[in-house]
Amino acid sequence: MIDISGVNKRYGDVNALTDVAIAVAPGVTGLLGPNGSGKSTLIKALLGLVKSQSGSGTVLGHPWPAKVRTIRDLVGYLPEDDCYIAGLVGIESVAFMAKLSGLPDTEGLRRAHEIMDFCDIGEERYREVEGYSTGMRQKLKFAQALVHDPPLLILDEPTTGLDPDQRHAMLSRIRTLSRDHGKSIILSTHILPDVQSVCDQVIILAGGIVRVQDKLAVLSELEKPTMHVSVLGDPAPLAAKCESEGMEVSTTDDGSLLIAGLVTIDQGDRTSKLWQWAAETDTSIRRYHRAKKSLEQIFVDAALTDPHVANEASDLSFLQSSTSTSSGPSPDKSVGA
Amino acid sequence: MPVHDLGYRGWTGARMSHLMRPLVVARGGISLVWRRRWLRMMIIFSWLPILLFGVGIFMFEYSATEPGWGQVLGNLLAFQLQRPDLALSISADHAGSRHDVWATLILTFFRVPQLFAMVLLVGLIAPMLISYDLRSKAYLMYFSRPLSPTQYIIGKSAVLWFFLSTITAIPALILYLVGVFLSPDLSVIGETWDIPFRILGATVVLVVPTTALALCYSSFTSESRYATFSWFATWAMGFIAYSVLTYSGARMRGGPPQRPRGPRGRGRPRFEDFDAAQYENMASNMPPGLADIDRDKWRLLSPYETLGKVEGWVFGIDPTPGSVWPSIIMLIAITVGGLWIVRHRIMARLSV
């Protein structure tokens, strides 16, 4: 879908993008990176809003950057900035964007209503955009990005300013568009749980360099396949039993066990062995599943490879406010240690 | 959930050509501006001078049979519009002077009421066009679509072209038609066929550089009031500077200009009391300062005078001394420079 390489962009003495090469497959792709890592510059370069000093490739099969206006016809962009056309009411604003993308007048208006229904914008569509709340403006920008039915959506912080219900609804829409309507989506965000919940693959930028780029399922694999086992009461007897059976075992902060080596055993045998060892040590197992690396861990590992980011801990401060849904190991506890 | 919510559905219709996109920008801008009541009122009021100039053409056409009307019109041409030669030719060669009288009246319509209306209208509309987009970052919305900066500028310019045409070209063309219908017969069309084309030419001269200048100011700031102030200041300061420099130059060289008097040196003058030789004497008796002053040099300071010079040239009646080319070059420079700055400012915003 997107395959570009050798992208360089400098602002004066600052390298915003250095030899960036990305290959984005259909599906939802998370674009992550600390502040100033070059995410917005990369998006703007893709859309031809800024000119890169070098770089070439294809976007949706069209040569980039030579055919950037053709590409823009096929892309829906939700900017991070609070932007709107002053004086227009919501429905006019979406219909205007439809017309700018080449939809005829009547069709543009009909389509605008349809998309605003999809985005759950009700009677507010007849109010001036300047009076919209932040959340409403996000929904409006989403509707504007979607109104011309583009095969590729680039969403820059789409859930910023949304309350939990609206955020959940927005992510649900993104999933629907990708899964049911075959849209490819690039999701640039700081909210890692959003990426974890909807993205198939991840690109992590730091210091203008692509640090990580792969499928999320691959990235979240631990170096040694590991089971995460939660027990009721003291986990030590079960841990000792597993070690005696040749497994590598460590304990997490919440008292759960991380058992490496168990995954390599056949699925049926694995379960029966675990239940057998638990019975022998008189331990009750509450829950067990395959342990995965959290996105937060992947992100921190990637971002810290940039010395500038590593020296400025404040750049990662936003991570403290984001809640991880993963139950993977914490960064300071390695499996089998 | 709305009753008619069908969920997401794709769209596979045919899209309009890329060349039509500036039209979308223009229509959006026109629709937005047209909602303002004061603007609609202003456009209505700016059409009122048609009545006055229509009466002028009517008086000319019937002056052959009603000499009193010819005197009134002659005085107007001789002393208010500084065209005594034309005033004299009304009675001497009525049919031969038709073209010049019509053109003079329509040029005056352009130069006086419509130019002031234009300054006011552009000053109130233009700052909104780009300043608001800069303030609300709307340029990100525009340029994430298949729209180039040039198309955006054309679209925004077209908003001004439309409104300026409604107060200049359209009423002037209607004035011409009024003249045709008020004439004794339709043979006047044969004598004045070129005037509609001159009207269109003068409209281009008026609209293009002023639009470029206004958009240039609008692109300088996200605070539209500063753009408005700069616009009005340009016209006011230019006019004042021109007036002061030419008038004070004349005073230093030979005293203030003399008002024309009647033949006995008192009372209101009547144009038929003078003959051509007397008009030439009046011109030669002007203070030396006014007679030989190089007004063309100072004219370039004033957009009003510069536009007037070129518009007069377009209508084929340019009674002022000096070549028209400096004024034409100045207008071209304003247009090209203004548009280049607008484009540069927009591109600079996108790079941030």
Side-chain angles (χ1 to χ4, degrees):
Chain A
M1 191 184 63
I2 298 178
D3 187 3
I4 57 172
S5 60
V7 182
N8 287 285
K9 175 65 187 173
R10 288 177 65 85
Y11 291 115
D13 295 334
V14 179
N15 281 324
L17 297 172
T18 306
D19 200 23
V20 167
I22 59 170
V24 178
V28 186
T29 302
L31 183 60
L32 299 173
N35 295 331
S37 60
K39 300 189 299 293
S40 295
T41 304
L42 177 58
I43 289 173
K44 287 182 177 176
L46 274 174
L47 291 169
L49 299 179
V50 296
K51 281 190 178 171
S52 53
Q53 273 86 22
S54 63
S56 62
T58 59
V59 177
L60 296 165
H62 297 279
W64 178 90
K67 294 283 180 186
V68 76
R69 280 177 64 195
T70 309
I71 291 168
R72 274 192 229 154
D73 238 345
L74 303 171
V75 175
Y77 173 50
L78 183 153
E80 178 188 9
D81 302 85
D82 184 22
C83 50
Y84 55 90
I85 295 174
L88 294 181
V89 300
I91 185 69
E92 290 171 333
S93 191
V94 179
F96 182 68
M97 285 298 129
K99 290 174 204 167
L100 265 187
S101 290
L103 274 71
D105 286 359
T106 314
E107 197 59 15
L109 187 60
R110 186 197 65 74
R111 177 88 184 150
H113 277 291
E114 194 174 295
I115 292 298
M116 291 185 102
D117 287 341
F118 175 69
C119 295
D120 197 24
I121 301 174
E123 294 302 308
E124 298 94 339
R125 71 186 66 178
Y126 301 110
R127 276 176 34 210
E128 273 201 23
V129 177
E130 282 156 299
Y132 277 17
S133 64
T134 310
M136 282 299 297
R137 284 189 190 175
Q138 286 296 94
K139 290 201 278 189
L140 183 79
K141 285 192 287 181
F142 189 67
Q144 289 173 331
L146 202 53
V147 69
H148 57 297
D149 190 31
L152 171 63
L153 281 167
I154 299 179
L155 312 176
D156 201 352
E157 304 284 359
T159 54
T160 302
L162 299 180
D163 63 35
D165 284 346
Q166 288 181 340
R167 180 175 151 236
H168 181 260
M170 177 68 86
L171 293 175
S172 172
R173 279 181 212 114
I174 292 171
R175 267 192 294 266
T176 302
L177 289 168
S178 171
R179 191 184 54 220
D180 301 339
H181 300 280
K183 303 282 178 208
S184 296
I185 298 168
I186 294 178
L187 178 67
S188 171
T189 181
H190 278 156
I191 305 172
L192 301 185
D194 288 357
V195 174
Q196 198 134 28
S197 66
V198 298
C199 290
D200 307 311
Q201 63 172 326
V202 173
I203 297 169
I204 299 178
L205 276 171
I209 299 170
V210 176
R211 306 287 175 175
V212 171
Q213 180 177 195
D214 211 334
K215 287 192 182 323
L216 195 53
V218 173
L219 291 171
S220 55
E221 284 293 338
L222 292 170
E223 288 174 19
K224 291 183 179 176
T226 303
M227 293 299 291
H228 182 277
V229 181
S230 298
V231 300
L232 198 63
D234 184 11
L238 181 59
K241 177 64 181 170
C242 291
E243 281 177 336
S244 70
E245 294 290 336
M247 307 286 129
E248 289 180 17
V249 181
S250 61
T251 311
T252 64
D253 289 339
D254 63 354
S256 299
L257 297 176
L258 294 169
I259 306 171
L262 197 60
V263 176
T264 56
I265 301 171
D266 182 61
Q267 173 90 43
D269 288 349
R270 183 195 313 164
T271 308
S272 60
K273 274 186 187 298
L274 189 60
W275 285 114
Q276 183 191 333
W277 296 339
E280 287 172 8
T281 55
D282 200 20
T283 305
S284 300
I285 295 176
R286 295 173 61 206
R287 187 173 66 233
Y288 77 100
H289 58 86
R290 190 164 176 159
K292 289 187 173 178
K293 212 174 185 179
S294 72
L295 184 57
E296 186 173 328
Q297 180 61 45
I298 298 166
F299 181 85
V300 170
D301 288 349
L304 289 181
T305 56
D306 177 21
H308 175 70
V309 174
N311 292 335
E312 295 184 19
S314 60
D315 279 354
L316 299 174
S317 59
F318 63 87
L319 288 176
Q320 294 164 7
S321 60
S322 65
T323 45
S324 173
T325 55
S326 170
S327 56
S330 59
D332 58 340
K333 293 225 173 202
S334 60
V335 177
Chain B
M1 179 179 286
V3 175
H4 301 295
D5 185 4
L6 301 168
Y8 186 80
R9 294 196 302 175
W11 187 81
T12 52
R15 296 196 188 192
M16 291 185 298
S17 160
H18 283 190
L19 298 174
M20 300 298 284
R21 311 294 162 90
L23 190 63
V24 175
V25 177
R27 283 174 55 196
I30 290 167
S31 140
L32 210 51
V33 174
W34 189 252
R35 292 174 196 181
R36 293 161 201 270
R37 192 163 174 269
W38 57 260
L39 178 97
R40 296 197 295 271
M41 297 300 291
M42 187 186 286
I43 288 176
I44 290 168
F45 279 117
S46 68
W47 277 53
L48 292 180
I50 289 180
L51 297 174
L52 186 66
F53 289 90
V55 167
I57 291 177
F58 178 78
M59 288 168 70
F60 168 77
E61 290 301 330
Y62 288 88
S63 60
T65 54
E66 296 285 343
W69 292 357
Q71 284 179 1
V72 174
L73 184 64
N75 281 336
L76 185 75
L77 288 169
F79 303 121
Q80 301 303 318
L81 305 184
Q82 310 297 321
R83 292 297 307 276
D85 54 323
L86 203 54
L88 289 172
S89 69
I90 290 177
S91 52
D93 180 10
H94 186 265
S97 62
R98 176 173 282 117
H99 183 279
D100 278 0
V101 171
W102 283 35
T104 302
L105 288 173
I106 293 173
L107 173 63
T108 309
F109 175 73
F110 261 89
R111 288 278 286 132
V112 186
Q114 299 321 95
L115 200 132
F116 281 103
M118 181 279 289
V119 171
L120 203 57
L121 195 70
V122 173
L124 296 174
I125 295 174
M128 295 189 287
L129 293 176
I130 296 184
S131 288
Y132 280 17
D133 283 351
L134 296 180
R135 192 168 67 196
S136 64
K137 295 185 178 175
Y139 51 87
L140 280 174
M141 313 298 298
Y142 284 108
F143 297 118
S144 62
R145 308 282 155 171
L147 187 78
S148 68
T150 304
Q151 288 179 318
Y152 171 81
I153 293 168
I154 291 171
K156 291 290 180 182
S157 300
V159 177
L160 286 177
W161 296 340
F162 172 80
F163 285 110
L164 290 180
S165 297
T166 59
I167 64 163
T168 53
I170 295 172
L173 288 170
I174 289 174
L175 180 59
Y176 173 78
L177 287 177
V178 167
V180 170
F181 288 122
L182 292 178
S183 302
D185 60 75
L186 292 180
S187 65
V188 296
I189 296 175
E191 296 166 23
T192 59
W193 62 270
D194 61 319
I195 289 182
F197 296 103
R198 293 179 189 275
I199 288 171
L200 295 177
T203 303
V204 171
V205 168
L206 179 71
V207 163
V208 173
T210 50
T211 297
L213 184 64
L215 290 183
C216 174
Y217 285 147
S218 184
S219 71
F220 270 128
T221 172
S222 56
E223 291 288 341
S224 59
R225 58 195 161 157
Y226 297 142
T228 305
F229 176 79
S230 305
W231 170 257
F232 287 122
T234 300
W235 288 87
M237 297 299 289
F239 186 77
I240 291 168
Y242 174 79
S243 302
V244 168
L245 287 167
T246 53
Y247 188 75
S248 62
R251 285 291 296 250
M252 282 189 289
R253 295 180 202 197
Q258 303 295 314
R259 284 178 62 82
R261 295 287 179 187
R264 290 185 294 276
R266 60 184 180 180
R268 288 183 64 82
R270 296 192 308 165
F271 84 94
E272 65 269 35
D273 295 335
F274 297 79
D275 55 26
Q278 284 175 305
Y279 279 117
E280 283 176 15
N281 286 339
M282 277 175 62
S284 62
N285 286 337
M286 285 178 81
L290 275 185
D292 60 9
I293 190 169
D294 182 8
R295 288 176 176 232
D296 210 42
K297 184 170 68 180
W298 304 120
R299 180 174 289 118
L300 300 183
L301 291 175
S302 166
Y304 176 78
E305 298 296 337
T306 307
L307 278 172
K309 178 80 176 172
V310 181
E311 284 178 338
W313 175 72
V314 169
F315 272 99
I317 34 178
D318 180 20
T320 56
S323 166
V324 73
W325 286 105
S327 298
I328 291 175
I329 291 167
M330 174 60 99
L331 294 183
I332 291 171
I334 288 173
T335 306
V336 174
L339 294 178
W340 182 84
I341 289 171
V342 174
R343 188 183 160 83
H344 180 74
R345 295 284 302 166
I346 291 168
M347 298 302 286
R349 288 288 181 137
L350 285 175
S351 302
V352 175

